[in-house]
Amino acid sequence: MTKKPQRLSLGQIRIIGGKWRGRKLPVPDSDGLRPTTDRVRETLFNWLMPVIQGARCLDCFSGSGALGFEALSRYASHTTLIEYDRNVAKQLSANLALLKAENADVVQGNALQYLNNTGTPFDVVFLDPPFRKGMLTETINLLEANNWLAEESWIYVEAEAESVTEVPPNWQLHRQKTAGQVAYRLYIRHQ
């Protein structure tokens, strides 16, 4: 008996605001992929409302792309999505094509290696690394050390509720909330 080729199982995310409000986009089923929930995204983008339009955004551990696509839908000028998993990165590119979004790019690779290079400053940065992998502190240090942050940038951090995130002294906590086992915080970086 011939086996059928395994197909990539697809879930979906829904864009909740902006020009693509209500659009559903396919997301591959991949270990550790946890799209930021609609409720958390709605809160986050309410917090970012004064700064998201025209912002250059960096989505460091893009996964489903929910945060990057939401930023683009709300008129960010450009978004770079970094994703390690090749199949997930391909789906991000396909979703950008589906939306006809030309003001974004997908980088398939290791976010820490990418951030280890000298960067171009971003206005808004999304940090939602894989849980319990210890990547958050190193990511924050690389963003600061390698010119990835604009003088006044906004940094969103999503982590395990029980985790303690150490941030540089020039990062001021703007807002924070907890939803179930996830803590999410928005910082403003001042020069």
Side-chain angles (χ1 to χ4, degrees):
M1 182 170 207
T2 311
K3 277 189 173 181
K4 288 185 181 179
Q6 285 189 345
R7 280 207 240 176
L8 199 57
S9 172
L10 295 180
Q12 62 183 12
I13 57 167
R14 180 178 61 90
I15 297 176
I16 58 172
K19 63 185 171 186
W20 299 319
R21 182 181 183 182
R23 287 287 300 264
K24 292 179 180 177
L25 299 171
V27 176
D29 184 22
S30 179
D31 283 344
L33 195 63
R34 319 166 273 97
T36 301
T37 65
D38 287 6
R39 188 177 98 197
V40 170
R41 268 186 291 134
E42 185 170 9
T43 300
L44 169 61
F45 282 91
N46 284 340
W47 294 346
L48 288 172
M49 196 177 309
V51 297
I52 198 68
Q53 189 169 344
R56 286 181 30 81
C57 301
L58 177 63
D59 191 352
C60 288
F61 301 90
S62 194
S64 69
L67 298 173
F69 292 129
E70 197 71 45
L72 290 167
S73 182
R74 294 169 187 248
Y75 302 96
S77 67
H78 187 271
T79 298
T80 298
L81 302 107
I82 305 172
E83 174 51 42
Y84 181 76
D85 184 286
R86 184 177 313 278
N87 289 327
V88 176
K90 280 183 184 179
Q91 187 62 57
L92 290 172
S93 295
N95 286 344
L96 287 172
L98 186 66
L99 295 169
K100 297 181 175 78
E102 296 179 1
N103 56 337
D105 56 340
V106 175
V107 175
Q108 192 273 311
N110 182 306
L112 296 174
Q113 289 176 357
Y114 185 81
L115 296 174
N116 202 32
N117 298 299
T118 302
T120 303
F122 286 87
D123 305 303
V124 175
V125 176
F126 302 109
L127 299 180
D128 180 10
F131 280 9
R132 294 170 185 79
K133 301 280 188 197
M135 301 171 87
L136 196 51
T137 300
E138 186 176 356
T139 304
I140 289 169
N141 292 338
L142 290 169
L143 287 168
E144 271 295 332
N146 295 326
N147 197 43
W148 291 101
L149 301 172
E151 283 186 23
E152 185 175 294
S153 53
W154 296 63
I155 304 101
Y156 170 75
V157 177
E158 189 172 312
E160 307 91 332
E162 73 274 7
S163 72
V164 176
T165 304
E166 291 189 31
V167 299
N170 60 331
W171 288 24
Q172 175 189 342
L173 181 61
H174 179 64
R175 297 271 166 83
Q176 67 178 337
K177 279 194 164 193
T178 303
Q181 297 180 10
V182 176
Y184 55 107
R185 300 173 179 93
L186 184 62
Y187 296 91
I188 304 173
R189 176 194 189 254
H190 299 284
Q191 189 56 8

